[in-house]
Amino acid sequence: MLTGLEMFDVTGSVIPVFFIVIVGILAISAGSGIFRWVRNNRQPVLSVQTTVTSKRTEVSYRHSSDLDTHRSVTRYYITFEVESGDRLEFEVQGEEYGQTAEGDLGNLTFQGTRYLGFRRHVHGYARQFPDIHRSH
């Protein structure tokens, strides 16, 4: 059984280890972000023909007990399918998410895992649904 003085020794050794673990987690997180940024910068900027295959959102909620407030953050994702059949998912801004529909055809521009933009083909729907522009 530990005496009072030995308990303080255990606490004195646990707190520095806990601090080192927290600092290590923060360093690894920052390092991986920097690594991803550098890796993306080394990739060529590509622009490919693609189709929007799906869209999704991810909502996270936060509650502040101090102010008794609730806050939500929404992230928007679009999945594109290129001519080879590969699918790429990118996080996009809410405005772009709202202006894009599943089935849209266009050019996707990206660099590594970094989304740079999507330019919709105006005639995409006319090719996919030839009767859409007919007047009755």
Side-chain angles (χ1 to χ4, degrees):
M1 188 149 136
L2 297 174
T3 65
L5 292 176
E6 290 171 340
M7 189 181 311
F8 285 115
D9 290 340
V10 171
T11 304
S13 63
V14 170
I15 290 176
V17 169
F18 181 73
F19 179 74
I20 289 170
V21 168
I22 297 297
V23 169
I25 290 170
L26 291 173
I28 289 170
S29 178
S32 69
I34 292 169
F35 178 74
R36 184 174 43 251
W37 181 79
V38 168
R39 188 178 65 226
N40 281 337
N41 284 343
R42 290 183 178 173
Q43 298 294 317
V45 174
L46 300 175
S47 184
V48 296
Q49 294 266 351
T50 187
T51 303
V52 175
T53 56
S54 66
K55 297 167 52 174
R56 70 179 180 93
T57 59
E58 180 179 279
V59 181
S60 60
Y61 298 98
R62 296 188 181 142
H63 173 73
S64 173
S65 58
D66 296 342
L67 302 173
D68 198 31
T69 59
H70 300 275
R71 182 172 181 235
S72 66
V73 176
T74 304
R75 291 184 172 185
Y76 302 93
Y77 297 91
I78 299 177
T79 302
F80 301 92
E81 185 173 321
V82 295
E83 292 173 345
S84 67
D86 292 332
R87 292 186 175 202
L88 306 167
E89 181 180 66
F90 293 99
E91 184 175 355
V92 299
Q93 297 296 316
E95 183 177 334
E96 189 154 6
Y97 178 88
Q99 294 177 355
T100 306
E102 290 183 20
D104 278 353
L105 304 172
N107 286 351
L108 168 67
T109 305
F110 64 99
Q111 184 179 25
T113 61
R114 185 181 299 142
Y115 173 81
L116 299 176
F118 175 70
R119 185 175 190 125
R120 181 183 314 105
H121 291 169
V122 176
H123 302 293
Y125 286 110
R127 278 186 269 138
Q128 190 172 5
F129 305 105
D131 295 337
I132 202 167
H133 294 308
R134 283 190 181 163
S135 59
H136 297 311

